[in-house]
Amino acid sequence: MDVVCLDLEGVLVPEIWITFAEHTGIEELKRTTRDEPDYDKLMQYRINILNEHGLGLKEIQEVIEGIDPLDGAKEFLEKLKEITQVIIISDTFTQFAKPLMKKLGYPTLFCNSLEVAEDGKILSHKMRCEKSKLSTVKALQSVGFETIAAGDSYNDIDMILASKAGFLFRTTDQLKKDYPQYEAFEDYDSFFEAIKKELDK
């Protein structure tokens, strides 16, 4: 049996931190895993900037409420769920994801969590497990599933490399250059057909 493992931000919904950066005008918050592969380092950087500006979970959640899935993402996901099992494996947080999952039709999501003070200040991030995307794919494989993985950033590469097939979606030119063995897609129709072709093998 196959399971398709998808990244969330950049693949199905806009990048939350970039949207928040645009909303607040804080350019430094536009830095993502496309720029900094070390997620722990990236999150500490983000938390420090939030603290400097006196921003917390409430302000981020207010912006997230206004974020819609990328055009065609919900339809793509629904079509994919008709032919296979789908799990979204993301480095985002439960405190961010809820409104986005509602708009996507409540797909299965594996993500992380935040430690938040009573006043809403974000204190730290708690990863679900070490190398969560790779660990999840390997765990699925250990109980008899074959995985097909796709993402747009450096933190997706481990799960793509470990899967029987993998794809890049709306990624950077640098990632395409670094991993030329993986097909890269810009639209959901061709992306869906490529996944379906792998499932039919």
Side-chain angles (χ1 to χ4, degrees), residues 48-67:
N48 289 343
I49 291 169
L50 291 175
N51 291 341
E52 282 171 23
H53 290 269
L55 297 168
L57 181 60
K58 178 175 173 284
E59 289 78 12
I60 298 173
Q61 286 177 328
E62 284 171 356
V63 172
I64 291 170
E65 286 288 345
I67 296 176

mmCIF file with all atom_site columns, all heavy atoms in Angstrom, residues 48-67:
data_model
loop_
_atom_site.group_PDB
_atom_site.id
_atom_site.type_symbol
_atom_site.label_atom_id
_atom_site.label_alt_id
_atom_site.label_comp_id
_atom_site.label_asym_id
_atom_site.label_entity_id
_atom_site.label_seq_id
_atom_site.pdbx_PDB_ins_code
_atom_site.Cartn_x
_atom_site.Cartn_y
_atom_site.Cartn_z
_atom_site.occupancy
_atom_site.B_iso_or_equiv
_atom_site.pdbx_formal_charge
_atom_site.auth_seq_id
_atom_site.auth_comp_id
_atom_site.auth_asym_id
_atom_site.auth_atom_id
_atom_site.pdbx_PDB_model_num
ATOM 1   N N   . ASN A 1 48 ? 13.233 35.130 18.372 1.00 0.00 ? 48 ASN A N   1
ATOM 2   C CA  . ASN A 1 48 ? 13.965 36.319 18.834 1.00 0.00 ? 48 ASN A CA  1
ATOM 3   C C   . ASN A 1 48 ? 13.411 37.587 18.195 1.00 0.00 ? 48 ASN A C   1
ATOM 4   O O   . ASN A 1 48 ? 13.240 38.612 18.864 1.00 0.00 ? 48 ASN A O   1
ATOM 5   C CB  . ASN A 1 48 ? 15.463 36.190 18.505 1.00 0.00 ? 48 ASN A CB  1
ATOM 6   C CG  . ASN A 1 48 ? 16.154 35.137 19.365 1.00 0.00 ? 48 ASN A CG  1
ATOM 7   O OD1 . ASN A 1 48 ? 15.635 34.726 20.400 1.00 0.00 ? 48 ASN A OD1 1
ATOM 8   N ND2 . ASN A 1 48 ? 17.313 34.684 18.924 1.00 0.00 ? 48 ASN A ND2 1
ATOM 9   N N   . ILE A 1 49 ? 13.101 37.523 16.898 1.00 0.00 ? 49 ILE A N   1
ATOM 10  C CA  . ILE A 1 49 ? 12.558 38.692 16.192 1.00 0.00 ? 49 ILE A CA  1
ATOM 11  C C   . ILE A 1 49 ? 11.164 39.038 16.722 1.00 0.00 ? 49 ILE A C   1
ATOM 12  O O   . ILE A 1 49 ? 10.846 40.207 16.957 1.00 0.00 ? 49 ILE A O   1
ATOM 13  C CB  . ILE A 1 49 ? 12.524 38.447 14.670 1.00 0.00 ? 49 ILE A CB  1
ATOM 14  C CG1 . ILE A 1 49 ? 13.952 38.400 14.114 1.00 0.00 ? 49 ILE A CG1 1
ATOM 15  C CG2 . ILE A 1 49 ? 11.722 39.533 13.953 1.00 0.00 ? 49 ILE A CG2 1
ATOM 16  C CD1 . ILE A 1 49 ? 14.065 37.913 12.694 1.00 0.00 ? 49 ILE A CD1 1
ATOM 17  N N   . LEU A 1 50 ? 10.324 38.020 16.937 1.00 0.00 ? 50 LEU A N   1
ATOM 18  C CA  . LEU A 1 50 ? 8.987  38.258 17.496 1.00 0.00 ? 50 LEU A CA  1
ATOM 19  C C   . LEU A 1 50 ? 9.089  38.955 18.848 1.00 0.00 ? 50 LEU A C   1
ATOM 20  O O   . LEU A 1 50 ? 8.364  39.922 19.124 1.00 0.00 ? 50 LEU A O   1
ATOM 21  C CB  . LEU A 1 50 ? 8.234  36.930 17.664 1.00 0.00 ? 50 LEU A CB  1
ATOM 22  C CG  . LEU A 1 50 ? 7.795  36.202 16.394 1.00 0.00 ? 50 LEU A CG  1
ATOM 23  C CD1 . LEU A 1 50 ? 7.188  34.848 16.756 1.00 0.00 ? 50 LEU A CD1 1
ATOM 24  C CD2 . LEU A 1 50 ? 6.789  37.030 15.595 1.00 0.00 ? 50 LEU A CD2 1
ATOM 25  N N   . ASN A 1 51 ? 9.995  38.474 19.693 1.00 0.00 ? 51 ASN A N   1
ATOM 26  C CA  . ASN A 1 51 ? 10.163 39.059 21.027 1.00 0.00 ? 51 ASN A CA  1
ATOM 27  C C   . ASN A 1 51 ? 10.645 40.515 20.949 1.00 0.00 ? 51 ASN A C   1
ATOM 28  O O   . ASN A 1 51 ? 10.197 41.363 21.709 1.00 0.00 ? 51 ASN A O   1
ATOM 29  C CB  . ASN A 1 51 ? 11.134 38.214 21.855 1.00 0.00 ? 51 ASN A CB  1
ATOM 30  C CG  . ASN A 1 51 ? 10.542 36.861 22.224 1.00 0.00 ? 51 ASN A CG  1
ATOM 31  O OD1 . ASN A 1 51 ? 9.319  36.679 22.187 1.00 0.00 ? 51 ASN A OD1 1
ATOM 32  N ND2 . ASN A 1 51 ? 11.377 35.911 22.566 1.00 0.00 ? 51 ASN A ND2 1
ATOM 33  N N   . GLU A 1 52 ? 11.541 40.772 20.013 1.00 0.00 ? 52 GLU A N   1
ATOM 34  C CA  . GLU A 1 52 ? 12.050 42.139 19.825 1.00 0.00 ? 52 GLU A CA  1
ATOM 35  C C   . GLU A 1 52 ? 10.914 43.107 19.470 1.00 0.00 ? 52 GLU A C   1
ATOM 36  O O   . GLU A 1 52 ? 10.934 44.273 19.859 1.00 0.00 ? 52 GLU A O   1
ATOM 37  C CB  . GLU A 1 52 ? 13.088 42.171 18.694 1.00 0.00 ? 52 GLU A CB  1
ATOM 38  C CG  . GLU A 1 52 ? 14.464 41.666 19.089 1.00 0.00 ? 52 GLU A CG  1
ATOM 39  C CD  . GLU A 1 52 ? 15.381 41.526 17.865 1.00 0.00 ? 52 GLU A CD  1
ATOM 40  O OE1 . GLU A 1 52 ? 15.131 42.207 16.841 1.00 0.00 ? 52 GLU A OE1 1
ATOM 41  O OE2 . GLU A 1 52 ? 16.335 40.724 17.937 1.00 0.00 ? 52 GLU A OE2 1
ATOM 42  N N   . HIS A 1 53 ? 9.957  42.611 18.705 1.00 0.00 ? 53 HIS A N   1
ATOM 43  C CA  . HIS A 1 53 ? 8.848  43.457 18.242 1.00 0.00 ? 53 HIS A CA  1
ATOM 44  C C   . HIS A 1 53 ? 7.592  43.331 19.112 1.00 0.00 ? 53 HIS A C   1
ATOM 45  O O   . HIS A 1 53 ? 6.562  43.927 18.783 1.00 0.00 ? 53 HIS A O   1
ATOM 46  C CB  . HIS A 1 53 ? 8.506  43.099 16.794 1.00 0.00 ? 53 HIS A CB  1
ATOM 47  C CG  . HIS A 1 53 ? 9.571  43.513 15.813 1.00 0.00 ? 53 HIS A CG  1
ATOM 48  N ND1 . HIS A 1 53 ? 9.569  44.734 15.171 1.00 0.00 ? 53 HIS A ND1 1
ATOM 49  C CD2 . HIS A 1 53 ? 10.688 42.862 15.385 1.00 0.00 ? 53 HIS A CD2 1
ATOM 50  C CE1 . HIS A 1 53 ? 10.622 44.818 14.376 1.00 0.00 ? 53 HIS A CE1 1
ATOM 51  N NE2 . HIS A 1 53 ? 11.318 43.693 14.476 1.00 0.00 ? 53 HIS A NE2 1
ATOM 52  N N   . GLY A 1 54 ? 7.660  42.560 20.194 1.00 0.00 ? 54 GLY A N   1
ATOM 53  C CA  . GLY A 1 54 ? 6.520  42.411 21.088 1.00 0.00 ? 54 GLY A CA  1
ATOM 54  C C   . GLY A 1 54 ? 5.336  41.695 20.458 1.00 0.00 ? 54 GLY A C   1
ATOM 55  O O   . GLY A 1 54 ? 4.180  41.978 20.777 1.00 0.00 ? 54 GLY A O   1
ATOM 56  N N   . LEU A 1 55 ? 5.629  40.764 19.558 1.00 0.00 ? 55 LEU A N   1
ATOM 57  C CA  . LEU A 1 55 ? 4.563  40.014 18.866 1.00 0.00 ? 55 LEU A CA  1
ATOM 58  C C   . LEU A 1 55 ? 4.494  38.591 19.398 1.00 0.00 ? 55 LEU A C   1
ATOM 59  O O   . LEU A 1 55 ? 5.513  37.993 19.760 1.00 0.00 ? 55 LEU A O   1
ATOM 60  C CB  . LEU A 1 55 ? 4.830  39.991 17.361 1.00 0.00 ? 55 LEU A CB  1
ATOM 61  C CG  . LEU A 1 55 ? 4.829  41.362 16.671 1.00 0.00 ? 55 LEU A CG  1
ATOM 62  C CD1 . LEU A 1 55 ? 5.389  41.249 15.265 1.00 0.00 ? 55 LEU A CD1 1
ATOM 63  C CD2 . LEU A 1 55 ? 3.424  41.947 16.650 1.00 0.00 ? 55 LEU A CD2 1
ATOM 64  N N   . GLY A 1 56 ? 3.272  38.041 19.436 1.00 0.00 ? 56 GLY A N   1
ATOM 65  C CA  . GLY A 1 56 ? 3.094  36.690 19.969 1.00 0.00 ? 56 GLY A CA  1
ATOM 66  C C   . GLY A 1 56 ? 2.145  35.864 19.127 1.00 0.00 ? 56 GLY A C   1
ATOM 67  O O   . GLY A 1 56 ? 1.843  36.186 17.970 1.00 0.00 ? 56 GLY A O   1
ATOM 68  N N   . LEU A 1 57 ? 1.645  34.793 19.726 1.00 0.00 ? 57 LEU A N   1
ATOM 69  C CA  . LEU A 1 57 ? 0.798  33.837 19.011 1.00 0.00 ? 57 LEU A CA  1
ATOM 70  C C   . LEU A 1 57 ? -0.482 34.488 18.486 1.00 0.00 ? 57 LEU A C   1
ATOM 71  O O   . LEU A 1 57 ? -0.898 34.222 17.363 1.00 0.00 ? 57 LEU A O   1
ATOM 72  C CB  . LEU A 1 57 ? 0.450  32.666 19.948 1.00 0.00 ? 57 LEU A CB  1
ATOM 73  C CG  . LEU A 1 57 ? -0.403 31.561 19.337 1.00 0.00 ? 57 LEU A CG  1
ATOM 74  C CD1 . LEU A 1 57 ? 0.296  30.918 18.139 1.00 0.00 ? 57 LEU A CD1 1
ATOM 75  C CD2 . LEU A 1 57 ? -0.740 30.507 20.389 1.00 0.00 ? 57 LEU A CD2 1
ATOM 76  N N   . LYS A 1 58 ? -1.090 35.341 19.276 1.00 0.00 ? 58 LYS A N   1
ATOM 77  C CA  . LYS A 1 58 ? -2.364 35.969 18.895 1.00 0.00 ? 58 LYS A CA  1
ATOM 78  C C   . LYS A 1 58 ? -2.228 36.708 17.565 1.00 0.00 ? 58 LYS A C   1
ATOM 79  O O   . LYS A 1 58 ? -3.075 36.575 16.677 1.00 0.00 ? 58 LYS A O   1
ATOM 80  C CB  . LYS A 1 58 ? -2.819 36.925 19.997 1.00 0.00 ? 58 LYS A CB  1
ATOM 81  C CG  . LYS A 1 58 ? -4.120 37.677 19.699 1.00 0.00 ? 58 LYS A CG  1
ATOM 82  C CD  . LYS A 1 58 ? -4.531 38.497 20.916 1.00 0.00 ? 58 LYS A CD  1
ATOM 83  C CE  . LYS A 1 58 ? -5.717 39.394 20.607 1.00 0.00 ? 58 LYS A CE  1
ATOM 84  N NZ  . LYS A 1 58 ? -5.339 40.589 19.809 1.00 0.00 ? 58 LYS A NZ  1
ATOM 85  N N   . GLU A 1 59 ? -1.167 37.489 17.425 1.00 0.00 ? 59 GLU A N   1
ATOM 86  C CA  . GLU A 1 59 ? -0.968 38.279 16.205 1.00 0.00 ? 59 GLU A CA  1
ATOM 87  C C   . GLU A 1 59 ? -0.759 37.371 14.985 1.00 0.00 ? 59 GLU A C   1
ATOM 88  O O   . GLU A 1 59 ? -1.258 37.652 13.888 1.00 0.00 ? 59 GLU A O   1
ATOM 89  C CB  . GLU A 1 59 ? 0.237  39.218 16.368 1.00 0.00 ? 59 GLU A CB  1
ATOM 90  C CG  . GLU A 1 59 ? 0.018  40.369 17.325 1.00 0.00 ? 59 GLU A CG  1
ATOM 91  C CD  . GLU A 1 59 ? 0.125  39.999 18.810 1.00 0.00 ? 59 GLU A CD  1
ATOM 92  O OE1 . GLU A 1 59 ? 0.603  38.883 19.111 1.00 0.00 ? 59 GLU A OE1 1
ATOM 93  O OE2 . GLU A 1 59 ? -0.278 40.819 19.644 1.00 0.00 ? 59 GLU A OE2 1
ATOM 94  N N   . ILE A 1 60 ? -0.021 36.260 15.185 1.00 0.00 ? 60 ILE A N   1
ATOM 95  C CA  . ILE A 1 60 ? 0.213  35.327 14.079 1.00 0.00 ? 60 ILE A CA  1
ATOM 96  C C   . ILE A 1 60 ? -1.089 34.627 13.698 1.00 0.00 ? 60 ILE A C   1
ATOM 97  O O   . ILE A 1 60 ? -1.416 34.500 12.512 1.00 0.00 ? 60 ILE A O   1
ATOM 98  C CB  . ILE A 1 60 ? 1.302  34.294 14.446 1.00 0.00 ? 60 ILE A CB  1
ATOM 99  C CG1 . ILE A 1 60 ? 2.632  35.008 14.713 1.00 0.00 ? 60 ILE A CG1 1
ATOM 100 C CG2 . ILE A 1 60 ? 1.477  33.276 13.322 1.00 0.00 ? 60 ILE A CG2 1
ATOM 101 C CD1 . ILE A 1 60 ? 3.730  34.100 15.251 1.00 0.00 ? 60 ILE A CD1 1
ATOM 102 N N   . GLN A 1 61 ? -1.853 34.196 14.693 1.00 0.00 ? 61 GLN A N   1
ATOM 103 C CA  . GLN A 1 61 ? -3.119 33.499 14.417 1.00 0.00 ? 61 GLN A CA  1
ATOM 104 C C   . GLN A 1 61 ? -4.107 34.396 13.680 1.00 0.00 ? 61 GLN A C   1
ATOM 105 O O   . GLN A 1 61 ? -4.863 33.931 12.822 1.00 0.00 ? 61 GLN A O   1
ATOM 106 C CB  . GLN A 1 61 ? -3.730 32.979 15.722 1.00 0.00 ? 61 GLN A CB  1
ATOM 107 C CG  . GLN A 1 61 ? -3.002 31.765 16.268 1.00 0.00 ? 61 GLN A CG  1
ATOM 108 C CD  . GLN A 1 61 ? -3.566 31.293 17.593 1.00 0.00 ? 61 GLN A CD  1
ATOM 109 O OE1 . GLN A 1 61 ? -4.056 32.093 18.400 1.00 0.00 ? 61 GLN A OE1 1
ATOM 110 N NE2 . GLN A 1 61 ? -3.483 29.997 17.852 1.00 0.00 ? 61 GLN A NE2 1
ATOM 111 N N   . GLU A 1 62 ? -4.113 35.678 14.003 1.00 0.00 ? 62 GLU A N   1
ATOM 112 C CA  . GLU A 1 62 ? -5.010 36.621 13.320 1.00 0.00 ? 62 GLU A CA  1
ATOM 113 C C   . GLU A 1 62 ? -4.682 36.702 11.828 1.00 0.00 ? 62 GLU A C   1
ATOM 114 O O   . GLU A 1 62 ? -5.575 36.775 10.989 1.00 0.00 ? 62 GLU A O   1
ATOM 115 C CB  . GLU A 1 62 ? -4.911 38.013 13.959 1.00 0.00 ? 62 GLU A CB  1
ATOM 116 C CG  . GLU A 1 62 ? -5.636 38.110 15.297 1.00 0.00 ? 62 GLU A CG  1
ATOM 117 C CD  . GLU A 1 62 ? -5.364 39.410 16.026 1.00 0.00 ? 62 GLU A CD  1
ATOM 118 O OE1 . GLU A 1 62 ? -4.545 40.229 15.519 1.00 0.00 ? 62 GLU A OE1 1
ATOM 119 O OE2 . GLU A 1 62 ? -5.947 39.623 17.108 1.00 0.00 ? 62 GLU A OE2 1
ATOM 120 N N   . VAL A 1 63 ? -3.394 36.677 11.508 1.00 0.00 ? 63 VAL A N   1
ATOM 121 C CA  . VAL A 1 63 ? -2.971 36.705 10.100 1.00 0.00 ? 63 VAL A CA  1
ATOM 122 C C   . VAL A 1 63 ? -3.326 35.382 9.423  1.00 0.00 ? 63 VAL A C   1
ATOM 123 O O   . VAL A 1 63 ? -3.816 35.362 8.284  1.00 0.00 ? 63 VAL A O   1
ATOM 124 C CB  . VAL A 1 63 ? -1.456 37.001 9.992  1.00 0.00 ? 63 VAL A CB  1
ATOM 125 C CG1 . VAL A 1 63 ? -0.969 36.828 8.550  1.00 0.00 ? 63 VAL A CG1 1
ATOM 126 C CG2 . VAL A 1 63 ? -1.157 38.418 10.477 1.00 0.00 ? 63 VAL A CG2 1
ATOM 127 N N   . ILE A 1 64 ? -3.107 34.269 10.114 1.00 0.00 ? 64 ILE A N   1
ATOM 128 C CA  . ILE A 1 64 ? -3.387 32.939 9.545  1.00 0.00 ? 64 ILE A CA  1
ATOM 129 C C   . ILE A 1 64 ? -4.865 32.791 9.190  1.00 0.00 ? 64 ILE A C   1
ATOM 130 O O   . ILE A 1 64 ? -5.209 32.172 8.191  1.00 0.00 ? 64 ILE A O   1
ATOM 131 C CB  . ILE A 1 64 ? -2.929 31.821 10.515 1.00 0.00 ? 64 ILE A CB  1
ATOM 132 C CG1 . ILE A 1 64 ? -1.402 31.805 10.595 1.00 0.00 ? 64 ILE A CG1 1
ATOM 133 C CG2 . ILE A 1 64 ? -3.448 30.444 10.062 1.00 0.00 ? 64 ILE A CG2 1
ATOM 134 C CD1 . ILE A 1 64 ? -0.840 30.903 11.690 1.00 0.00 ? 64 ILE A CD1 1
ATOM 135 N N   . GLU A 1 65 ? -5.736 33.363 10.003 1.00 0.00 ? 65 GLU A N   1
ATOM 136 C CA  . GLU A 1 65 ? -7.185 33.294 9.729  1.00 0.00 ? 65 GLU A CA  1
ATOM 137 C C   . GLU A 1 65 ? -7.520 33.822 8.337  1.00 0.00 ? 65 GLU A C   1
ATOM 138 O O   . GLU A 1 65 ? -8.482 33.401 7.710  1.00 0.00 ? 65 GLU A O   1
ATOM 139 C CB  . GLU A 1 65 ? -7.970 34.085 10.785 1.00 0.00 ? 65 GLU A CB  1
ATOM 140 C CG  . GLU A 1 65 ? -8.062 33.404 12.144 1.00 0.00 ? 65 GLU A CG  1
ATOM 141 C CD  . GLU A 1 65 ? -8.988 32.197 12.165 1.00 0.00 ? 65 GLU A CD  1
ATOM 142 O OE1 . GLU A 1 65 ? -9.784 32.021 11.228 1.00 0.00 ? 65 GLU A OE1 1
ATOM 143 O OE2 . GLU A 1 65 ? -8.893 31.411 13.132 1.00 0.00 ? 65 GLU A OE2 1
ATOM 144 N N   . GLY A 1 66 ? -6.714 34.743 7.852  1.00 0.00 ? 66 GLY A N   1
ATOM 145 C CA  . GLY A 1 66 ? -6.972 35.340 6.547  1.00 0.00 ? 66 GLY A CA  1
ATOM 146 C C   . GLY A 1 66 ? -6.269 34.645 5.392  1.00 0.00 ? 66 GLY A C   1
ATOM 147 O O   . GLY A 1 66 ? -6.407 35.061 4.239  1.00 0.00 ? 66 GLY A O   1
ATOM 148 N N   . ILE A 1 67 ? -5.501 33.586 5.687  1.00 0.00 ? 67 ILE A N   1
ATOM 149 C CA  . ILE A 1 67 ? -4.774 32.864 4.633  1.00 0.00 ? 67 ILE A CA  1
ATOM 150 C C   . ILE A 1 67 ? -5.670 31.795 4.018  1.00 0.00 ? 67 ILE A C   1
ATOM 151 O O   . ILE A 1 67 ? -6.299 31.015 4.729  1.00 0.00 ? 67 ILE A O   1
ATOM 152 C CB  . ILE A 1 67 ? -3.488 32.205 5.202  1.00 0.00 ? 67 ILE A CB  1
ATOM 153 C CG1 . ILE A 1 67 ? -2.502 33.276 5.690  1.00 0.00 ? 67 ILE A CG1 1
ATOM 154 C CG2 . ILE A 1 67 ? -2.825 31.313 4.149  1.00 0.00 ? 67 ILE A CG2 1
ATOM 155 C CD1 . ILE A 1 67 ? -1.252 32.701 6.356  1.00 0.00 ? 67 ILE A CD1 1
#
